[in-house]
Amino acid sequence: MTDTQPDALPESVARLGAFLRPSAKAVNTRQIFLEGGRGADQFYRQRWSHDKVVRSTHGVNCTGSCSWNVFVKDGIITWETQNVDYPTTGPDLPEYEPRGCPRGAAFSWYTYSPTRIRYPYIRGRLLDFYREAKKKVGDPVLAWKEVVEDPVKSREYKRSRGKGGLVRATWDEAMEIAAAAHVYTTKRYGPDRMAGFSVIPAMSMISYGAGSRFYELMGGTMLSFYDWYADLPMASPQVFGDQTDVPESGDWFNAGYLIMWGSNIPQTRTPDAHFMAEARYRGQKVVAVSPDYADNTKFADEWLRVAPGTDGALAQAMGHVILKEFHVGRQEPYFLDYMKKFTDSPFLVTLKEKDGAYVPGKFLTAADLADSDLANTENASFRPLVWDAGKGITDPGGTLADHFGSEGEGKWNLTMENIDPLLSASDFGTESAEILLPRFDLPASVDQKTLGAGVMSRGVPAARVGSVLVTTVYDLLLAQYGVERPGLPGQWPTGYDDAESPGTPAWQSQFTGVPPAAAERIGREFAQNAVDSQGRSMIVMGAGTNHYYHSDTIYRTFLALTTMCGTQGVNGGGWAHYVGQEKVRPITGWAQYAFALDWIRPPRQMISAGFWYLLTDQWRYDGTPAEKLLSPLAELDWSGKSTADTLVESMKRGWMPSYPTFSRSTLLLAQEAREAGVDPAKWIVKQLEEGKLSFACEDPDNPENFPRILASWRTNLLGSSAKGAEFFYRHLVGSDSAATAKELPEDQRPESIVWRDAAGTGKVDLLMTADFRNTSTTLYSDIVLPAATWYEKDDLSTTDMHPFIHAFDAAIDPPWETRTDFAIFQDLAARVTELAKTHLGMQTDVIPTPLNHDTPDEYATPHGIVPDVAEVGLIPGKTMPKLVVAERDYTKLIDRFNSMGPLPEKAGMVTKGISFDPSPEVEQLRKMNGMADTGRPLLDTAEKACDMVLYFSGATNGRLATTGFETLEKRTGTPLSDLSAGDEEKRISIHQLHSKGAQGVITTPEWSGSEHGGRRYSAFVQNIERGRPFHTLTGRQHFYLDHDWMRDIGEAMPIFRPPLDLQVLYGEAAPGDTGNTGDGVHVAVRYLTPHHKWAIHSQYFDNLHMLTLGRGGQTVWMSPQDAEIIGVADNDWIEAWNRNGVVVARAVVSHRMPQGTVYMYHAQERTMGTPITETSGKRGGIHNSLTRILIKPSHLIGGYAQHSYAFNYVGATGNQRDEVTLIRKRSQEVSY
Amino acid sequence: MRVMAQIGMVMNLDKCIGCHTCSVTCKQTWTNRSGTEYMWFNNVETRPGGGYPQGWEDQDRWKGGWKRTASGRLVPKSGGRLQSLAHIFANPRLPELSEYYEPWTYEYDKLLSAPRDSQHFPVARPISQITGQPIDTVSWGPNWDDDLGGGEDVLKADPILDSISTKVKAEIEQSFMFYLPRICEHCLNPTCMAACPSGAIYKRMEDGIVLVDQDRCRGWRMCVSACPYKKVYFNHQTGKAEKCTLCYPRLEAGQPTVCSETCVGRLRYLGIMLYDADRVAQAAAVKDEKDLYQAQLDILLDPHDPAVVEAAKASGISDEWLTAAQESPLYALIKEYKLALPLHPEYRTLPMVWYVPPLSPIVDAVTASGVDAEDHRILLTTLSHMRIPMEYLAQLFSAGDTAPVELSLRKLAAMRSYMRNVNLGMEENTEAATAVGMSGEELMKMYRLLAIAKYDDRY
C-alpha cells in the first residue's frame, strides 16, 4: 500500500526531504508517496472486532422502541449501534432506519457501571430486627409480624429509610422476607393493601407483565401510570371515546401542514424527527408553537411564541377564523360533510331556561320523545337524535344505544343510509334563543366564587320539540366560538380585532402574546391546506400543552381544529399526541397474561393520582375549594367541598376504582358473609348502609387503611414521577421532608374525609424495588433487588411511533447476581406459595370494580344526571362499585403463574368490547411450549409468555384479527374483515422475532387504524373509511359533553381556561413578583418541567456520557432578564422553593428562554451531585419537589358513555405545570 | 492530471436535530478508554457558540491551517518546519484543559455504600477523572453551550459573530440556532500532516483517510496546533495523538462510518470523490479566500468525464471505485446541485466533509405583520427574513461570500415550493424550478436524495 504526504515546504527543503527518505516517490515537490508503514492501523481494526451481535432494544420510559445491535466481545457487551433492517415503507417514503438517540446509544454504559446494583440489598436495621424475630418465632410470616406490628421497631427502620445503611444480602433471605411480608399483609390487612407500580408496558411487555401477573394472582393492585404522568390526554376519551390512538411517525410525511404544538420533537421523539425534517422537502409547511426557542423551532417556517399554558386561547381563535371563513362563509363542502357524518354536530341538544335566557342542556334522546316509537327502543336514553332533512327527528344509528343489547346488532355503524342530518337548527327551526355561556378568561380575585369566571351571551337558532326548545351541537359550537350569523340574539365580536369578545384573534393575543394577524393567518392556512389536501393537516401535540391542570380543555380546542377541518382519520392529518403514549400492539394477549385474566377476573387496577394523593396525605394540605373551579352557571352546589371530596365521591359511586377499598379486608368481609350465610355483595352493602363499614378513601390516615406494600420495578417513583415528592418522603416513606405547606385549618378540611390529628407517616411497611441502577427509589427502599438490564433478557417491544414488533434478545446472561423481572416474580410467587400453605390456603375475595368503559356499565347514568345516592340507595354497578366474588387459591399461586388458565377459551378475551376466542391457539401453544400437569400450556419462561401474548392478539395473529373483525361485523353490519384479509396465516412468534428482527403488525379491530396494503397507520381510519362508530355517546367525535359535572365545570364545549391562579388559590406569589427575605433578591417565576435532552425521565440522567454532554447535574434554565433580577450568572448555584419543597441547582442562563418562566428539565435525579440546600438544610429535591397533586373533578366522572373507567384510560391526571416558584441566588459554596 | 480517490462526507445541516447520537456512538466505539476521556472524534456544536474546544475557529490564536505568502506559496500558519522545530519542546499553541474540559465522574459507589444513620440522603458527588479530587461545581464540558445555554456568553465566545456586520443580540426575539456536527475533515491538503515532525501522520492513497501512525507518533502535538479544526487530540495515557479514523475498519468491510449509520436525522452522506492531486497545491493557494470554494470544486473531477475515467484507471483506481464515484451522493450534492459547501475553506486545507446550510424560521416581525404567507411562494421569497443571518453561514462555509450560501438555500426553498404542488396534486410549479436554474425533474431527483434518502442512496 501507498501513502501520500502533501507538504508545503520550500521546494529545496522538500526535495531534500524526498531525497533523504528511502522509498519515497515524489510526483512533485509537494507530495511524497510512501510505501508501507501501515502496521499501526491494526490498533483500531482490533478495537472494532467482536464476537457476536445481538438485537435488542430499551425497555421502558421511552416510546422509541428502536431496534439496536448490541456488540459482544469476550462475553462482554462493548457498545451498541442502531439496526437498519426495518421492513420497508415503500419507494416513496423515508425509511424507519436508523432509529435511536444518544440516550439509547449510551445504554451499555449501565451494564458495568459503578451504579449497577449487583446483589440484593436489605435495609440493615430492618434486617437486624427480622433476624432477631425469626430466631425467636421461627416462622418468616410471624417474624415479619413481630417487626411491623411493634411500633418502636417499625418506626425505627422506617425512619432509617433514605439514610444509608443498606447491606448486601442473599437472594434467599431477601425473597424470604418479601414473601413473608406479602403473605402477612394479605392475611392481616387484605390483598388490596399491596400495590405494584411499574409503567408503560409496551416497550417490555413481559417485564411489566410478570410482576403484574404476580400481583393480580395475589389480589393486589396495579397502579396506573399514563394518567399519573399527566400524559393521558383526558380530551381523548372525552372526544373520541378512546384512550389515545395516534398516527405512526411515518405518517407525518403525508401531512401537507404540520403544527408542532408544545411538542419538541427532536428532543423527545428523536428517532422520528427526521420524518418532519424530510416532509418539509415535500412542501409541508411547519409551524412551531412554544414559549421558548426550542430544538424543534429551528425546523419551523414560523414560530408562534405563546405564553405558557395559554395555548387554548390561540387554538380557539384559529377555530373562530376557520368556522367563520370556511364553515359559515365558504360553506366548504368537505368540512360540512365531515361534520355531519363523523361528529356530534348535527345532534340535538335541549335548551333550558335560565335567568331569562337559556343554557345548553342535555342531548335529546329517544327516551325524551314520549309519543314516539323511538321511546320504546332499546337503551332509549342513550339514543341521541338528529333532524333529518326529510324525516324530521331521526335516530341516525351508530349511537351508544346500538353498542350493546340485541336490538343494536347489525346497526352500530355510521353509514346513515337515506339519512341527511341537518347541521343547524336554522335549517329546520323557526326560533332562536339567547344562550348564556361561561367564560374563564377574566382576572381572578380571592373573593370571587369561581376563578376568573364570567358569563357571556350568545344566540342559537332553535326548534321546538313538544314543549322543549332544541338546537344542534353545531349551533352551540358556533356560538361558543363567537361566529355570528344573521338574526341571532346575543353579543358577538365586531370583528377579528375585537379584543373584548372571547374567540377572536385580538382576544387571544392578550393572553398568548401571539400577534392577532399570525393567529388569523395560521388558522386560515391550516384549514386551506386541509381543503387542498382533503384533510392532510396535522397537529403534533405533547407535554408542553398536556401537563397543565386544564390540559383537557387545551386539547379539546386542538381537537376541535383537527375535527372541524376533517383531518381525523385521514393519513397525514389529525391529532398526533406524543407524550407518554404507547401502544401495546398485541393488547389482547398481553392483557390476558399481565393481569392474569386467564385465571381470575376482574383485576384490581387503580388510578395512581388518587392513590398517591390519599396515601401521601396531600389532601391534608390541598383543600382546593371545588366550587372555585365551577362555571358561574353551575347547577350543582359544591359549596364547602374540596376537590378531595369529589375524589371520594367518585370512588364511592364506582366511577373511579378505589383500592384499598374498604375499612376491612375483602377476605375478611367474604368470611363474615359466609359466617352470616349471606351473599358477600349483599353483606357489604348492608354493612355500608348500617355504617359498620366505610370506604378506605374516607379515612386514609387510619392504619387499617394504609397500603402496606409498595413494589416498584421498571420505574423510579421517588426520584421522578412523584408529584409532591416531599409529601411522599414524609408520609409514604417516613423520612425527612422539605415541604413547608401548612395543614388545612378546620374550616377548609374535606368534609367527606376523617381528619385524624396525627397524620400517617411511614405508612408503607415494605418498599421493595427491582432496578439495575441506584435511584431515589432504591435508596429509600427496604429491599433492593438487582435487576437484569435490557440487554440481558427476552421480551417484546412495540410502540405507536412505528408499525413493527420486535424482541429483546439476551446478549449476555444477567451478570453478578442480577435477575430478570420475570425471574424475580417467579421466585417470589414460588416462595409465597410455600408460606401460603400454612398461612393462607384458599380464600374467597370480593373484588369491588368500577363501572367499566366499553361495557354496558356505560348505561349506568342516563343523561349524565348524577343520581342522589341517599335517594336511590346503594346499588352495586349503578351507584357504587360492582362487587365480584372470586376464589383465590394461594397454595397454587406458582402453578398459576407458570401456566395458562382456562378463562380465555371459556369466557373469551374482550378488548374494546370485542370478544376473541383463542381455542386453536391454546392447542398450538400446548404443543409448542409444553404443558403443566394440569394440561394447561406452560408459561414458565419469559419466551413462553411472549408467545402467549403474540398468539392471543390480532395484531400478531392474523386469524384472530380476522375473526375479531367478523365478530365486530355482526355488531356493525358493515364489512370490515377484508382489512386483515391475506394475513390469516400470519403468526408472529418470539423465535421469529429473534431470528428475523422487526416484523410489521396486522390490521386488527383492537385498534382503529389500518396498515392494510402497506399504508402508514393513522388513527380512526376504520371509523372514517368504514363507518365504525367511535366509542362515545353519539358514536361520533364529540364537541359537546352533557354530563352534569362537565356542564357545571363549564367545559361542555371546547373553551379556554388559563393556568390555575395559584396566587388566588394558595396565596403563592404572582409570576414576576420580587422580594428579599434576607438571603438575597428572589423572583417568582412559572415553573415548567419539560422533558430532558440528556435523559429519559431519570434514566440516563445518571449516565456519565449524558452527564458529560449535559451540565453534569441538576440545572434550571432561565432567561437573562430573570437572571439579572436575582443577580445570577450562567452556572451559578440557585435555590428554588415554594410551599411544596426546595430545589438546589445551577442556572443555565439563555436568551432562548422567555422572561418569567424557568424550565427545570423533568426528572433530573438528585442522586447526582445535588448539594445540601440553604433553605431546608437537607439534600436538595427533585423537580417534583416543587409540585403537588392537584385533582380536577371532571377527570373523575364515570359510569356514563365515554366517561367510563378503564385502566390508564381515564383518571385524574398528575398535572404539574401550573406551579410558581421563588428563585434566588445562593452561596456559591456548596456542601454535599 | 493525477486522479485520486477520496472518501468524503456531506452533512445536511438542514436536517440535523442536534441529538448528538453520532457523538455518543462514536465515543462508545472508539474513545471510551483511559486517556481518551475528553476526545470526541465526532462532536456536535450549537451555533452560535464557541464550539469544542472552545474558540477553535480563532486561528489568530491557534495558528491552524495554512497561510498564503505574498509570493503565493502556502506555509502552515504556525510556521514552517524549521519554526516548529524551534519550539518542539514547548508548543505554545495548544488548547488547555480549560478549553477542552476536565473530564469528571461521580462517586457512584457512595449511593449504596452510604453508612447507616447518614445525616442526609446519599448522593454521588462529582470528582475529577484527572486528579481524582472532588469537584464541587462542575463548570465546563464539551457541550456546555448546548441549545444556547449561556446566553450572552455564547455569543461572545463565537469568533464568527465578531466578523459579521449583523449585530446579534442575546434576545429571545432574535434567537436562532443550528447544530454543527464535526469530525476530522480528512483534508486534501492537511496541515496536521505537514506539521508532524515525526512523519507519523499519513493520508491513505486509496481513500484519502488521514491517520496517525500509533507506532511512529512521538507526541510532539504539532498536529494539534496545526489542525485548524482542532480534530487531533493528544492521548495523555499513551502519549500519542489520536483522531477520527473515518471508521476505516468499517469502511474496509463495506460499512458506513458509525457516525453516519447511527445518524437518526439521516443527514449524513458518504461517498467517493475523484480529484486531481496535481492541482491540490494550486487550488489551496488561490489568492482570494472567496475563490477557494470554487477552486476546490474545480479540482473535484467529473467521474463521468471519459478523460477522467481514463486517467483514473491509469492511476490504478478500480472499476468498482469508479462506479462508486459515479453514483456518489457527494458528487450530486457538491458538484451537481451545489447544495453542499466546505467548512471554513479559508483555512486552505481543502476539507472533505461538506455541509448543506440550514433553513430557519422567519423572524417575528414578518410573522406579526401577517403578510400573505398562505401563498407558498413565501418559502422562496423570505430567505432574507430567516433568523439565521446569511452572513453567519457565509463565514462558516464560503469565506464570507454569501452567494454560494444563498444559492444553496434558494434551491432547498425552490424544491419545497415545487414539491408542494406535486404533493397536493396541483399544477406543476415550473416557476420555482427555473428560478434556481433547474428543471422540475432535477428538483424531483434532488428531493429524492434529500428527503427519501434511502440507505443505499446515502452511502
Side-chain angles (χ1 to χ4, degrees), chain A residues 6 38 41 44-45 47 90-91 95 128 165 278 280-281 295 298 529 1102 1112 1149-1150 1167 1169 1179 1232, chain B residues 14-16 29 32 106 108 114 116 121 124 136 147-148 150 193 202 206 242 248 252 266 420 448 454:
Chain A
R38 301 272 291 259
D41 290 11
Y44 296 104
R45 217 169 258 124
R47 185 164 167 94
E95 299 285 356
D128 292 347
E278 286 155 346
R280 294 176 306 141
Y281 295 163
D295 302 48
K298 104 183 236 285
N529 180 79
D1102 52 359
V1149 179
S1150 175
T1167 49
R1179 177 82 52 220
Y1232 292 91
Chain B
D14 188 50
K15 287 174 77 174
C16 184
T29 308
N32 65 355
Y106 298 81
Y108 287 101
R116 184 187 275 206
F121 187 82
D136 277 350
D147 284 357
L148 303 177
M193 189 157 88
Y202 59 99
E206 67 273 27
E242 288 196 52
Y248 67 82
E252 289 167 4
R266 306 169 87 245
R420 181 166 181 86
R448 292 197 75 86
K454 300 277 181 185

Side-chain angles (χ1 to χ4, degrees), chain A residues 424-703:
Chain A
S424 170
S426 61
D427 296 332
F428 54 84
T430 52
E431 302 185 35
S432 63
E434 183 194 347
I435 58 166
L436 303 176
L437 297 169
R439 60 187 291 188
F440 298 99
D441 58 328
L442 303 169
S445 65
V446 181
D447 50 2
Q448 207 177 11
K449 196 171 165 199
T450 303
L451 276 188
V455 174
M456 61 180 181
S457 154
R458 297 260 161 92
V460 289
R464 194 83 40 198
V465 178
S467 61
V468 184
L469 205 56
V470 301
T471 186
T472 67
V473 170
Y474 191 65
D475 290 323
L476 290 172
L477 186 71
L478 291 178
Q480 173 77 356
Y481 274 76
V483 179
E484 189 176 7
R485 286 170 294 171
L488 293 181
Q491 290 163 345
W492 300 88
T494 55
Y496 288 164
D497 58 354
D498 181 349
E500 299 303 313
S501 195
T504 68
W507 164 79
Q508 65 81 33
S509 188
Q510 311 164 76
F511 313 104
T512 66
V514 173
E520 179 187 332
R521 185 163 47 74
I522 302 296
R524 191 180 295 130
E525 284 181 17
F526 184 81
Q528 184 59 48
N529 180 79
V531 173
D532 293 343
S533 65
Q534 299 288 286
R536 291 195 281 128
S537 292
M538 185 182 282
I539 304 178
V540 172
M541 48 189 93
T545 50
N546 193 48
H547 280 186
Y548 289 92
Y549 187 80
H550 288 306
S551 278
D552 46 352
T553 62
I554 297 176
Y555 261 41
R556 279 176 71 197
T557 61
F558 294 177
L559 297 183
L561 294 176
T562 54
T563 300
M564 70 174 68
C565 294
T567 70
Q568 290 296 156
V570 177
N571 273 114
W575 80 316
H577 162 84
Y578 303 117
V579 56
Q581 86 311 332
E582 60 162 355
K583 191 172 264 162
V584 182
R585 285 183 186 266
I587 182 72
T588 305
W590 177 78
Q592 296 293 311
Y593 176 76
F595 300 117
L597 303 180
D598 52 332
W599 286 109
I600 200 160
R601 301 177 184 180
R604 281 195 171 95
Q605 296 168 330
M606 178 63 183
I607 50 165
S608 273
F611 183 82
W612 304 126
Y613 184 71
L614 297 170
L615 168 56
T616 66
D617 281 329
Q618 295 192 41
W619 61 275
R620 291 178 74 97
Y621 311 84
D622 179 7
T624 308
E627 201 179 21
K628 289 272 185 201
L629 303 161
L630 288 180
S631 158
L633 300 164
E635 291 177 24
L636 293 168
D637 179 12
W638 277 3
S639 55
K641 277 183 198 284
S642 70
T643 49
D645 291 312
T646 66
L647 177 69
V648 171
E649 179 176 348
S650 168
M651 289 176 162
K652 288 172 70 178
R653 286 182 182 277
W655 289 357
M656 289 295 129
S658 174
Y659 306 114
T661 310
F662 298 119
S663 51
R664 290 205 293 284
S665 158
T666 48
L667 302 185
L668 185 63
L669 286 165
Q671 195 186 319
E672 289 169 8
R674 192 167 54 236
E675 284 162 8
V678 295
D679 168 68
K682 285 199 182 117
W683 174 256
I684 287 173
V685 171
K686 191 157 163 278
Q687 290 282 301
L688 285 167
E689 281 168 351
E690 291 173 0
K692 292 176 182 161
L693 182 69
S694 62
F695 279 82
C697 59
E698 296 174 285
D699 192 4
D701 278 337
N702 181 349

